[in-house]
């Protein structure tokens, strides 16, 4: 990959990481505005009663999840493109996991926005027999977070671990990456087993970590562009010289 290609990747990664940090910050703030009955995804009369009051906040969270996941796919692409040759195999593997995780995260968010509001309307007007059926089938599968959050957490832990041996990467970014990865895996556990305190704890950490990581990662990648621009100019001069020698 030449310098111009790396510059393009850095621009994508910088823009994506800043946006991702912003979107995750909003998600974390909104999480504190909805009751625990909705967070757990456990279908019940309380769930549907609360959802009718907080449906707009829930939809806003899911929209932010979609946007954040799209931004993070850009970050994963950048990290994979800039990966050192000796780490390509494990980074490619973890990147595929991340692509799957964020893609299913988008899919799950769209399904939740499409299905749960309509299911709530049906539950509130139908007789008890239909309500019992809806509760039995549930509103969503919280075990999906093992895929959507867990896979993404693995990617964060892998790239953060590999970054330890790269002296050009700031240590704070590595630490934030580890925190982000642990937070993702904790989110998967919290949703899968309906442990609400874990989810609130992760949201509290995200409020602090998300904007710091997003801005720091973004500006770090932008700083790389300066050096890559110099390399690109040298490559252009060499290419022109080689072209001239051919004549």
């Amino acid at each position: 990959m030449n310098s111009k290609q790396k510059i393009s990747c850095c621009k994508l990664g910088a823009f994506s990481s800043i946006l991702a940090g912003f979107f995750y910050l909003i998600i974390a703030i909104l999480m504190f505005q909805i009751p625990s009955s909705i967070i757990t995804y456990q279908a019940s009369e309380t769930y549907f009663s609360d959802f009718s009051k907080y449906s707009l906040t829930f939809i806003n969270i899911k929209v932010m999840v979609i946007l954040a996941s799209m931004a993070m796919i850009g970050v994963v692409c950048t990290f994979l493109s800039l990966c050192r040759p000796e780490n390509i195999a494990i980074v490619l593997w973890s990147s595929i996991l991340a692509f799957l995780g964020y893609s299913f995260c988008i899919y799950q968010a769209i399904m939740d926005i499409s299905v749960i509001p309509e299911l709530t309307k049906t539950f509130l007007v139908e007789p008890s027999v239909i309500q019992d059926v809806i509760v039995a089938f549930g509103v969503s599968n919280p075990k999906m977070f093992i895929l959507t959050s867990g896979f993404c957490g693995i990617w964060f832990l892998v790239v953060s671990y590999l970054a330890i041996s790269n002296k050009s990467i700031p240590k704070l970014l590595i630490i934030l990456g580890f925190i982000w990865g642990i937070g993702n895996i904790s989110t998967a556990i919290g949703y899968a087993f309906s442990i609400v305190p874990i989810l609130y704890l992760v949201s509290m950490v995200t409020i602090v970590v998300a904007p710091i990581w997003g801005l720091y990662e973004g500006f770090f990648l932008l700083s790389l562009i300066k050096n890559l621009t110099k390399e690109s100019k040298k490559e252009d001069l060499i290419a022109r010289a080689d072209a001239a020698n051919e004549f």
Side-chain angles (χ1 to χ4, degrees), residues 10-21:
C10 286
K11 288 180 179 179
L12 172 65
F15 181 70
S16 298
S17 60
I18 291 172
L19 283 180

Side-chain angles (χ1 to χ4, degrees), residues 9-87:
C9 292
C10 286
K11 288 180 179 179
L12 172 65
F15 181 70
S16 298
S17 60
I18 291 172
L19 283 180
F22 173 72
F23 291 139
Y24 279 116
L25 173 62
I26 295 176
I27 292 169
I29 293 173
L30 292 177
M31 283 286 288
F32 286 103
Q33 298 181 17
I34 59 176
S36 59
S37 59
I38 297 177
I39 293 176
T40 59
Y41 284 93
Q42 298 297 317
S44 65
E45 185 176 348
T46 303
Y47 176 92
F48 292 110
S49 177
D50 288 341
F51 188 88
S52 63
K53 302 173 185 176
Y54 295 92
S55 59
L56 182 59
T57 303
F58 179 85
I59 291 172
N60 287 336
I61 290 174
K62 292 302 176 178
V63 170
M64 289 298 106
V65 167
I66 293 171
L67 296 175
S69 298
M70 292 173 63
M72 283 305 303
I73 288 174
V75 176
V76 176
C77 287
T78 298
F79 279 39
L80 178 60
S81 301
L82 300 177
C83 170
R84 287 173 290 174
E86 63 269 25
N87 296 329

Side-chain angles (χ1 to χ4, degrees), residues 153-164:
I154 291 173
W155 174 79
F156 262 109
L157 293 178
V158 168
V159 296
S160 297
Y161 174 76
L162 295 176
I164 295 175

Side-chain angles (χ1 to χ4, degrees), residues 18-186:
I18 291 172
L19 283 180
F22 173 72
F23 291 139
Y24 279 116
L25 173 62
I26 295 176
I27 292 169
I29 293 173
L30 292 177
M31 283 286 288
F32 286 103
Q33 298 181 17
I34 59 176
S36 59
S37 59
I38 297 177
I39 293 176
T40 59
Y41 284 93
Q42 298 297 317
S44 65
E45 185 176 348
T46 303
Y47 176 92
F48 292 110
S49 177
D50 288 341
F51 188 88
S52 63
K53 302 173 185 176
Y54 295 92
S55 59
L56 182 59
T57 303
F58 179 85
I59 291 172
N60 287 336
I61 290 174
K62 292 302 176 178
V63 170
M64 289 298 106
V65 167
I66 293 171
L67 296 175
S69 298
M70 292 173 63
M72 283 305 303
I73 288 174
V75 176
V76 176
C77 287
T78 298
F79 279 39
L80 178 60
S81 301
L82 300 177
C83 170
R84 287 173 290 174
E86 63 269 25
N87 296 329
I88 186 63
I90 190 168
V91 173
L92 178 60
W93 170 77
S94 63
S95 296
I96 292 173
L97 291 184
F99 289 138
L100 287 172
Y102 288 119
S103 297
F104 275 101
C105 197
I106 294 171
Y107 170 79
Q108 184 184 28
I110 293 174
M111 289 296 294
D112 288 347
I113 292 174
S114 305
V115 174
I116 297 179
E118 294 301 320
L119 202 60
T120 300
K121 292 178 182 178
T122 303
F123 181 90
L124 295 176
V125 299
E126 293 294 334
S128 59
V129 175
I130 303 298
Q131 290 178 347
D132 291 340
V133 173
I134 293 175
V135 170
F137 277 96
V139 294
S140 185
N141 184 5
K143 298 296 190 297
M144 277 288 292
F145 282 92
I146 295 175
L147 171 62
T148 57
S149 292
F151 278 14
C152 300
I154 291 173
W155 174 79
F156 262 109
L157 293 178
V158 168
V159 296
S160 297
Y161 174 76
L162 295 176
I164 295 175
S165 60
N166 191 335
K167 295 181 180 180
S168 64
I169 299 177
K171 297 301 180 184
L172 179 57
L173 269 181
I174 298 173
I175 294 172
L176 292 173
F178 276 116
I179 294 173
W180 200 277
I182 294 171
N184 274 337
I185 293 174
S186 298

